C-alpha cells in the first residue's frame, strides 16, 4: 500500500501548521513513515526529529541511501529529495502517519489507559474481556506490543506517533476490532498520540513519578489530562477512579462522559464485597443501571481488585456480561506484575514492577495479607529518577516488611551506593525494620530467597519483566524472574545432596 505525496500535503493542511515544500514530489509514492533512520526502507517518508541526544537532520543522507523518497524536516536539507519543512515535526508527524496508513484508529475501538500505577495490568484485563467477547484486540504498552497475531517486547510504553500508526495499521490488517493502549505522560506531552482518537479513555490514579521530567504534580496531571481534553472521540464515555483526587477532578470536569469507580464511596461503579488469597480474587461489582456482577480473577492483591473494577467499569454495556465474567476469569498472568513463584522451600516469591512509594505500598500490603511468616522486600531505585522517592521507598518498605534488602535498579549514570543511601535514610528514620544493602541485584535476590522459610513471602520489585540492568550507558543482561527460577531449580532440600 502506498499513497501519493499529495496525501502528505493534505494531512499537513488539516493540522493547521505552517509548512513549505522545498522540492516537488508530485510523482512520489509513500508507503511508510519513520523517524529512526535505521528503520528506513524503500518508499519511506523520513521524519527528522530533534531529540535530546541526536538530531534526525544529521541522518538524511543515510535515509536516502536506504530508500527514503521524501523528508519531513524543521530546516532545509540539500539531499535532492522532495522535502517539506515545518516548525515542529513532532506536532504533525502523527497526523501525517495516520493519513499514510489509512487512519487505522478510525477502524478500531480505541481504549486508552493512563495513570501512574495499574496501567499494564488494566490493559491486560481489558484485552482479555474484549477477546472473550469475540473482539480480537491489539495491545500497546510497557510490557509487549501485540498486533493481534504476534507479540514483541515493547521498547517504550508509548512509542513515537509514526510507530503507533504503523502498529494500528498492522492490527487492522490482522482483523483486530480494538486496540488497548497504555498512554504515558511522556507520550501525551510529546504528542505521540497525534493521529489517534480514543473511544474509551481510562484514568487509574496519580502519585509522584516522573517529576524529574514534569517538575511538579500539576504539570504531571495536565499531561495525563491530555488523553481526555485532546484525544477523546466526541460522544464517547470513559472511566476514572473516584477515590483519587485527580480522578475526581476529571469526573468534575467531564460529569456526563466519565464513569466513576470506587471501593469505598458512592460512584457509578463500586465493589460491594471482595476477597483475595494466593489463588486470586473474588468480588461483587455494583453499577448504576446494571445488575450486580459476581467476578473471580486469578490476579491476587487488593490493588488488582481496583484494576479489575477499572476495566469492568470501562467496558460494561459495550460487551455482554458473560464476556466480562469469562474475560476476568481468564486474564493471563501479567509479566512482572505480582508474578507469583512457589518456592521449593515452602516460601512464595512475587516479582513486580513497583518502583514508586505508592506502588510499593500496594504490593507489600497485598503480600502481607497473603503471608503467614515473614515478609522480605528486595528493591532499589533507578538512577536519574525522582530522588525524593528514595527515602519514601525506604519508609514504605520498613513499615510493612520484616527484612529489607536494598539493591540496585538501573543506576544509569549515578553511583548505586548513593542511590541505596537515599533508601537507607528512609529505613533508618522509620527505625522499624532490619535491612541489608547488597548492591549486586542477583546476589540480593538469591540472599532473600535463601533466608526465606515456609510461610514467608519474598517480594522482588522495581524491574518487573525487564531483561537488563542499565549501568552507565551499558545494558547488561539480567532478569529477576530468571534469577528466581534458577535459584528454585538449584535448591537443595535440607538433608539431601545435590540440586
Amino acid at each position: 500500500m502506498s499513497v501519493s505525496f499529495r496525501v502528505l500535503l493534505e494531512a499537513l493542511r488539516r493540522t493547521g501548521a505552517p509548512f513549505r515544500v522545498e522540492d516537488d514530489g508530485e510523482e512520489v509514492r509513500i508507503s511508510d513513515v519513520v523517524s529512526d533512520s535505521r528503520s528506513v526502507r524503500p518508499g519511506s517518508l523520513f521524519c527528522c526529529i530533534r531529540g535530546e541526544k541526536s538530531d534526525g537532520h544529521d541522518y538524511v543522507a543515510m535515509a536516502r541511501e536506504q530508500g527514503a523518497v521524501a523528508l519531513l524536516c524543521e530546516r532545509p536539507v540539500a539531499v535532492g529529495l522532495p522535502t517539506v519543512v515545518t516548525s515542529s515535526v513532532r506536532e504533525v508527524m502523527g497526523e501525517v502517519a495516520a493519513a499514510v496508513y489509512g487512519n487505522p484508529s478510525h477502524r478500531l475501538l480505541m481504549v486508552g489507559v493512563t495513570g501512574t500505577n495499574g496501567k499494564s495490568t488494566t490493559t491486560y484485563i481489558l484485552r482479555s474481556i474484549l477477546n472473550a467477547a469475540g473482539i480480537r484486540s491489539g495491545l500497546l504498552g510497557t510490557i509487549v506490543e501485540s498486533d493481534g497475531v504476534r507479540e514483541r517486547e515493547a521498547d517504550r510504553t508509548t512509542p513515537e506517533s509514526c510507530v503507533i500508526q504503523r502498529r494500528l495499521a498492522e492490527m487492522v490488517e490482522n482483523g483486530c476490532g480494538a486496540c488497548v493502549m497504555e498512554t504515558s505522560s511522556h507520550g501525551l506531552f510529546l504528542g505521540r498520540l497525534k493521529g489517534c482518537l480514543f473511544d474509551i479513555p481510562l484514568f487509574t490514579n496519580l502519585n509522584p513519578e516522573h517529576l524529574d521530567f514534569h517538575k511538579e504534580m500539576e504539570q504531571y496531571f495536565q499531561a495525563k489530562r491530555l488523553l481526555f481534553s485532546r484525544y477523546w472521540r466526541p460522544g464517547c464515555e470513559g472511566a476514572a477512579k473516584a477515590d483519587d483526587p485527580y480522578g475526581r477532578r476529571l469526573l468534575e470536569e467531564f460529569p456526563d462522559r466519565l464513569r466513576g469507580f470506587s471501593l469505598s464511596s458512592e460512584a457509578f461503579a463500586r465493589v460491594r464485597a471482595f476477597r483475595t488469597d494466593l489463588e486470586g480474587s473474588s468480588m461483587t461489582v455494583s453499577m448504576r443501571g446494571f445488575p450486580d456482577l459476581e467476578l473471580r480473577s486469578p490476579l491476587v492483591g487488593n490493588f488488582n481488585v481496583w484494576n479489575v473494577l477499572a476495566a469492568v467499569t470501562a467496558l460494561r454495556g459495550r460487551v455482554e456480561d458473560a464476556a466480562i465474567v469469562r474475560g476476568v476469569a481468564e486474564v493471563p498472568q501479567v509479566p512482572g506484575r505480582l508474578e507469583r513463584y512457589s518456592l521449593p522451600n515452602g516460601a512464595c516469591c512475587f516479582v513486580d514492577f513497583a518502583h514508586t512509594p505508592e506502588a510499593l505500598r500496594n504490593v507489600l500490603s497485598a503480600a502481607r495479607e497473603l503471608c503467614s511468616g515473614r515478609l522480605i522486600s528486595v528493591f532499589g531505585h533507578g538512577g536519574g529518577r525522582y530522588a525524593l522517592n528514595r527515602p519514601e521507598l525506604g519508609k514504605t518498605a520498613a513499615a510493612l516488611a520484616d527484612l529489607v534488602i536494598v539493591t540496585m535498579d538501573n543506576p544509569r549514570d549515578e553511583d548505586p551506593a548513593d542511590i541505596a543511601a537515599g533508601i537507607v535514610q528512609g529505613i533508618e528514620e522509620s527505625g522499624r525494620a532490619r535491612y541489608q544493602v547488597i548492591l549486586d541485584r542477583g546476589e540480593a535476590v538469591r540472599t532473600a530467597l535463601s533466608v526465606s522459610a515456609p510461610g514467608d513471602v519474598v517480594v522482588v520489585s522495581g524491574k518487573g519483566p525487564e531483561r537488563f540492568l542499565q549501568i552507565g550507558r551499558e545494558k547488561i543482561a539480567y532478569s529477576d524472574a530468571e534469577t528466581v527460577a534458577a535459584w528454585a531449580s538449584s535448591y537443595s532440600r535440607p538433608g539431601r545432596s545435590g540440586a
Side-chain angles (χ1 to χ4, degrees), residues 390 414-423 439:
R390 293 167 188 172
E414 287 193 65
D415 184 338
D418 290 342
I419 297 174
I423 297 170
L439 294 180

Side-chain angles (χ1 to χ4, degrees), residues 8 12 30 32-40 44-51 54-60 63 68-74 77 82-84 86 88-98 100-101 160-163 166:
L8 160 63
L12 284 166
I30 299 169
D32 200 15
V33 182
V34 300
S35 60
D36 185 335
S37 60
R38 296 167 296 183
S39 301
V40 171
S44 291
L45 168 69
F46 179 53
C47 302
C48 303
I49 292 178
R50 289 185 292 181
S54 63
D55 186 342
H57 297 79
D58 297 335
Y59 297 91
V60 293
V69 295
L71 303 173
L72 183 60
C73 302
E74 293 177 4
V77 286
T83 302
V84 179
T86 187
S88 173
V89 169
R90 280 192 186 277
E91 281 296 310
V92 300
M93 182 170 65
E95 300 289 355
V96 167
V100 169
Y101 295 121
E160 292 290 356
S161 59
C162 58
V163 177
R166 188 183 312 119

Side-chain angles (χ1 to χ4, degrees), residues 104 107-110 136-141 145-150 152 163-181:
R107 292 180 278 173
L108 296 164
L109 176 70
M110 296 289 293
R136 180 180 293 182
S137 302
L139 177 67
L140 292 177
E145 295 178 352
S146 169
D147 60 14
V149 175
R150 296 170 298 274
R152 56 171 71 88
V163 177
I164 289 176
Q165 295 302 321
R166 188 183 312 119
R167 297 287 182 260
L168 295 178
E170 291 167 354
M171 293 177 197
V172 171
E173 184 178 348
N174 290 335
C176 288
C179 169
V180 182
M181 187 189 307

